[in-house]
Amino acid sequence: RKGDRGGVRVDYPTHHFRSPAYIQGKLGRVEALCGIFPNPESLAHGGDGLPAQPLYLIKFAQTDLWENYNGPAGDTLLIDVYENWLENI
């Protein structure tokens, strides 16, 4: 739900994956549900993309993502993250 906080799991599978390293292990906040789509991680290997995965727009504080971030404290990053990468949301 919009406003829920949760983390992005840390994982480096040997196959195609859709979670940038710089957001893994970080906490973000749900801004919106974008829809439910075939899983691109299995589609990339000729699979059927099932089960389909909800895709969320997640907001992160830049200061939480980058250790030495020196921009304005209110700067944020919005990024699409599939539900199978989210924890506690």
Side-chain angles (χ1 to χ4, degrees):
R1 292 184 328 245
K2 183 175 172 58
D4 285 353
R5 285 188 58 83
V8 178
R9 72 180 165 94
V10 177
D11 193 10
Y12 297 94
T14 57
H15 58 75
H16 174 79
F17 63 97
R18 298 280 304 197
S19 180
Y22 62 89
I23 65 169
Q24 291 185 23
K26 307 298 183 179
L27 291 175
R29 185 175 305 278
V30 174
E31 289 296 302
L33 171 64
C34 301
I36 299 174
F37 302 96
N39 184 344
E41 293 177 3
S42 66
L43 285 173
H45 294 280
D48 58 10
L50 298 177
Q53 293 288 319
L55 179 66
Y56 294 95
L57 181 64
I58 307 292
K59 181 165 77 172
F60 295 91
Q62 291 279 22
T63 53
D64 291 342
L65 296 177
W66 312 109
E67 184 177 329
N68 296 316
Y69 187 74
N70 60 5
D75 283 356
T76 59
L77 171 79
L78 294 167
I79 189 169
D80 296 335
V81 182
Y82 281 92
E83 184 174 77
N84 62 319
W85 279 93
L86 298 173
E87 299 176 324
N88 304 317
I89 288 183

